[in-house]
C-alpha cells in the first residue's frame, strides 16, 4: 500500500514566511494522501520553494532547481523567485510549473497535473497542527501576506503584493491547533505585524463565539490566553504598539519586541522611505521600558545606504548608545535587483560600507555584552531547543528568539529534552550567549 502512494520531494529555502508557505503545501500534500520523501531518487517529482530577496538567494534558488532537475527531472517551482519575471523559466526551461509565493492552490494544481493524487485522501494521516518544519515545540504563525510600504531597498511589495491580513478567527484556530499538538511557543510573523488588519479596516470576526477585531492588540490578547509563549516579530513602532506592552508586563505575551528600525538618521530614513521617526522611537522605547522594565528589544539596521554621510552614520551610532537595544543585526547595504534605491545618487564605496559595518558591530557588541552581563545571577525559566555536540543543552529564555538571538547554554546537561522547560541560574555571559547551571 505504502509503495503505491505518489511521492513528492520538497525543498524549502528562504525566510520564516516562506517556511510557513512550505508547511501549508506539505500539510495539503499529506491531507491528499501524498507521501513526502527525503531523497530525489524516491520522489516522483520535486517541489522547490525559492527565495528571491537578494542576489545570493536568487543564485542559491537557481542552483537548487538545477540540482533537482538533474537528479529527478520533474520539478515544480514556487516562492518569491517565481514572482520575479521569467528568470526561472529562462534559466531552467524544463521546469514543469512556476508560481509565486503563498500559492498553495496553484502548486497543488500543478502537482495534480503531473502526479495525480490517490483516489481516497488519507485525511487521518494529517496532524491537526499541520506539518511543521520547525522543531515540534515552536512554530511560526503567519498573520498576513504582503506589505503596503515602499521602502526603497526592498522589493517584497513587488514580489508579494500589498497587505492581505488573514481573518483573526482563522489565525486563532491555527494557533490553538498548534498548541494542542504540543507547540509551546508561537512566533507571530508577517512583513509588518503592527499593520495587521489595516487592509480590512480591522474587520470584526469571531473565535469560539468570542468577538475579536482583526487587529494586533486583539490578536495578541487572545493568543495570550492559549498558555503558550507568544513572541511578536517585525513590529513597526507605530503609536498603537504601546497598547500591547501592558500585555507583556502582565505576563500574557513574552516581553519581547522585534522592531526593524533600519536606521536612525532622519534624512536616511526619509530617503529609505521608512515609516518611522527616530525621536519618537526613543521616546517610545523609554515609555515601553517604564511599563515593562524587563522588555527585550531586538532590531535590524542597514549601514552604507546611498547618501549616508559620516554625520548620518554618527547619528546611528548615537542612537545605539541612547537606545541600548538588547539584540541587533546589521547589514551593509547591497543593491537588490529591481529596488528603487539602486537609482539613488551617492552610492557608498564598498570599503566604506564594510568599515562602517565593523564600527557598528563593535559598538553594539559592547552594548550587548554589558546588557547580557547584567543578567548574570538571574534565575530564569528556559526552554531547551537541543543538545550541542559537546553535551551542553542549548536553551532560550523569554529574551531569546529562535534562530536570530543567542543561547542560554546549560553546561554538561545532555539528558535534557528538547521542548522541555528547565529552571536555571545565569553564571556567566559573553557578547552573544549566557552560560547557566540547573537549579
Ligand atoms: S516594510 Fe519596507 S522593508 Fe518591510 S516588507 Fe515592507 S517595503 Fe519591505
Amino acid at each position: 500500500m505504502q509503495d503505491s502512494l505518489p511521492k513528492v520531494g520538497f525543498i524549502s529555502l528562504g525566510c520564516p514566511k516562506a517556511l510557513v508557505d512550505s508547511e501549508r503545501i506539505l500539510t495539503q500534500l499529506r491531507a491528499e494522501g501524498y507521501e513526502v520523501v527525503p531523497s530525489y531518487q524516491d520522489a516522483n517529482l520535486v517541489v522547490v520553494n525559492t527565495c528571491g530577496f537578494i542576489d545570493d538567494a536568487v543564485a542559491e534558488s537557481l542552483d537548487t532547481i538545477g540540482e533537482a532537475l538533474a537528479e529527478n527531472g520533474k520539478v515544480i517551482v514556487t516562492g518569491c523567485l517565481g514572482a520575479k519575471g521569467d528568470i526561472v523559466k529562462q534559466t531552467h526551461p524544463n521546469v514543469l510549473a512556476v508560481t509565486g509565493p503563498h500559492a498553495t492552490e496553484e502548486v497543488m494544481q500543478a502537482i495534480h497535473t503531473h502526479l495525480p493524487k490517490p483516489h481516497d485522501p488519507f485525511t487521518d494521516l494529517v496532524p491537526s497542527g499541520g506539518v511543521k518544519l520547525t522543531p515540534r515545540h515552536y512554530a511560526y504563525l503567519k498573520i498576513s501576506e504582503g506589505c503596503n510600504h515602499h521602502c526603497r531597498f526592498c522589493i517584497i511589495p513587488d514580489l508579494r503584493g500589498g497587505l492581505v491580513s488573514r481573518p483573526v478567527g482563522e489565525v486563532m484556530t491555527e494557533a490553538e491547533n498548534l498548541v494542542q499538538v504540543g507547540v509551546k511557543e508561537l512566533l507571530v510573523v508577517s512583513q509588518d505585524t503592527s499593520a495587521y488588519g489595516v487592509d480590512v479596516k480591522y474587520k470584526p470576526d469571531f473565535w469560539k463565539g468570542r468577538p475579536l477585531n482583526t487587529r494586533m492588540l486583539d490578536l495578541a490578547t487572545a493568543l495570550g490566553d492559549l498558555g503558550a509563549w507568544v513572541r511578536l516579530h517585525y513590529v513597526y513602532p507605530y503609536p498603537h504598539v504601546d497598547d500591547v506592552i501592558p500585555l507583556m508586563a502582565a505576563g500574557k505575551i513574552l516581553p519581547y519586541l522585534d522592531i526593524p528600525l533600519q536606521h536612525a538618521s532622519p534624512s536616511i530614513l526619509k530617503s529609505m522611505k521608512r515609516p518611522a521617526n527616530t525621536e519618537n522611537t526613543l521616546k517610545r522605547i523609554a515609555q515601553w521600558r517604564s511599563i515593562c522594565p524587563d522588555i527585550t528589544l531586538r532590531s535590524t539596521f542597514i549601514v552604507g545606504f546611498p547618501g549616508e554621510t559620516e554625520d548620518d552614520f554618527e547619528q546611528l551610532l548615537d542612537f545605539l548608545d541612547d537606545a541600548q537595544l538588547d539584540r541587533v543585526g546589521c547589514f551593509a547595504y547591497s543593491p537588490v535587483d529591481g529596488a528603487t534605491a539602486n537609482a539613488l545618487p551617492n552610492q557608498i564605496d564598498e570599503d566604506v560600507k564594510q568599515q562602517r559595518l565593523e564600527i557598528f558591530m563593535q559598538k553594539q557588541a559592547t552594548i550587548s555584552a554589558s546588557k547580557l552581563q547584567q543578567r548574570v545571577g538571574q534565575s530564569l525559566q528556559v526552554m531547551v531547543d537541543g543538545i550541542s555536540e559537546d553535551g551542553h543543552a542549548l536553551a532560550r529564555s523569554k529574551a531569546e528568539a529562535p534562530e536570530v538571538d543567542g543561547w542560554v547554554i546549560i553546561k554538561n546537561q545532555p539528558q535534557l529534552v528538547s521542548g522541555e522547560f528547565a529552571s536555571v541560574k545565569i553564571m556567566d555571559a559573553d557578547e552573544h550567549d549566557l552560560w547557566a547551571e540547573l537549579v
Side-chain angles (χ1 to χ4, degrees):
M1 182 70 181
Q2 192 76 355
D3 283 346
S4 65
L5 293 178
K7 296 177 179 58
V8 177
F10 201 100
I11 299 168
S12 184
L13 306 171
C15 64
K17 274 89 63 176
L19 189 79
V20 174
D21 287 350
S22 294
E23 289 172 344
R24 291 210 183 120
I25 297 167
L26 287 167
T27 299
Q28 193 57 33
L29 282 168
R30 288 280 301 276
E32 294 187 8
Y34 288 90
E35 191 182 348
V36 179
V37 293
S39 74
Y40 290 127
Q41 286 67 34
D42 292 336
N44 301 115
L45 68 74
V46 177
V47 178
V48 182
N49 188 4
T50 57
C51 177
F53 186 42
I54 56 171
D55 293 347
D56 283 354
V58 171
E60 186 194 7
S61 293
L62 289 173
D63 285 355
T64 306
I65 296 165
E67 182 185 284
L69 278 169
E71 297 289 329
N72 180 280
K74 291 178 87 177
V75 177
I76 290 169
V77 176
T78 182
C80 282
L81 189 61
K84 254 187 150 178
D86 285 339
I87 184 166
V88 175
K89 279 278 186 191
Q90 275 167 6
T91 317
H92 297 297
N94 293 335
V95 295
L96 299 175
V98 181
T99 83
H102 52 93
T104 306
E105 277 184 24
E106 285 169 76
V107 173
M108 292 310 300
Q109 268 173 19
I111 293 171
H112 295 156
T113 305
H114 297 283
L115 183 64
K117 63 178 173 178
H119 182 59
D120 286 316
F122 287 68
T123 47
D124 55 334
L125 295 179
V126 185
S128 61
V131 177
K132 309 310 301 172
L133 294 174
T134 45
R136 229 178 100 76
H137 57 280
Y138 66 82
Y140 292 99
L141 186 66
K142 183 151 71 166
I143 61 171
S144 60
E145 294 287 357
C147 176
N148 283 347
H149 298 299
H150 296 282
C151 303
R152 276 200 165 117
F153 53 81
C154 179
I155 54 167
I156 282 176
D158 300 330
L159 294 177
R160 292 183 169 244
L163 179 73
V164 180
S165 299
R166 293 177 64 200
V168 65
E170 182 185 306
V171 175
M172 284 306 302
T173 300
E174 180 179 339
E176 191 186 28
N177 283 341
L178 289 167
V179 173
Q180 275 171 1
V181 297
V183 166
K184 293 178 178 161
E185 178 174 2
L186 295 164
L187 302 137
V188 175
V189 293
S190 68
Q191 304 300 342
D192 179 358
T193 295
S194 357
Y196 179 57
V198 166
D199 54 314
V200 292
K201 302 195 170 54
Y202 308 115
K203 191 173 168 192
D205 195 3
F206 286 92
W207 174 64
K208 295 176 129 184
R210 172 176 170 179
L212 290 175
N213 289 331
T214 308
R215 184 189 289 273
M216 184 173 69
L217 178 61
D218 288 47
L219 175 66
T221 307
L223 287 173
D225 290 341
L226 293 179
W229 281 7
V230 175
R231 200 182 290 280
L232 303 181
H233 285 278
Y234 312 113
V235 179
Y236 284 78
Y238 304 132
H240 70 270
V241 172
D242 299 0
D243 301 338
V244 297
I245 310 298
L247 293 178
M248 298 180 182
K252 302 291 282 181
I253 64 173
L254 294 183
Y256 183 101
L257 261 193
D258 173 12
I259 36 170
L261 296 170
Q262 311 302 10
H263 213 284
S265 149
S267 66
I268 294 295
L269 286 168
K270 192 164 172 225
S271 171
M272 285 176 164
K273 290 202 171 172
R274 293 291 291 175
N277 168 314
T278 314
E279 199 184 321
N280 286 344
T281 303
L282 280 174
K283 275 193 200 141
R284 187 144 284 133
I285 287 173
Q287 200 182 334
W288 296 341
R289 285 187 171 133
S290 73
I291 299 168
C292 182
D294 65 344
I295 191 169
T296 297
L297 297 174
R298 172 182 178 79
S299 191
T300 46
F301 293 89
I302 296 173
V303 293
F305 188 74
E308 184 190 64
T309 61
E310 277 299 327
D311 184 50
D312 293 318
F313 182 59
E314 284 300 323
Q315 289 182 51
L316 177 55
L317 296 180
D318 289 347
F319 177 85
L320 287 185
D321 276 333
D322 293 340
Q324 292 287 304
L325 302 171
D326 301 88
R327 303 281 187 182
V328 168
C330 185
F331 304 94
Y333 170 77
S334 80
V336 173
D337 227 7
T340 55
N342 300 350
L344 287 174
N346 305 320
Q347 300 277 330
I348 308 295
D349 285 349
E350 206 48 50
D351 52 346
V352 175
K353 284 186 208 169
Q354 291 307 323
Q355 254 174 22
R356 289 182 182 171
L357 178 63
E358 222 167 277
I359 296 169
F360 179 106
M361 292 312 286
Q362 268 172 15
K363 176 170 274 293
Q364 183 56 37
T366 313
I367 294 171
S368 298
S370 111
K371 298 225 76 161
L372 288 179
Q373 202 61 43
Q374 289 164 22
R375 292 174 63 191
V376 173
Q378 284 180 353
S379 294
L380 300 172
Q381 188 194 41
V382 294
M383 187 188 292
V384 177
D385 274 354
I387 305 297
S388 72
E389 278 177 6
D390 36 10
H392 305 314
L394 302 174
R396 293 177 296 108
S397 74
K398 295 174 181 179
E400 288 85 32
E403 293 167 38
V404 286
D405 294 335
W407 295 111
V408 178
I409 304 169
I410 315 171
K411 279 188 187 169
N412 304 321
Q413 298 293 344
Q415 80 290 354
L416 291 178
V417 177
S418 173
E420 294 295 315
F421 286 106
S423 295
V424 300
K425 182 167 182 191
I426 305 298
M427 309 304 289
D428 202 358
D430 57 32
E431 282 169 15
H432 302 289
D433 301 317
L434 294 165
W435 292 82
E437 284 179 1
L438 285 181
V439 290

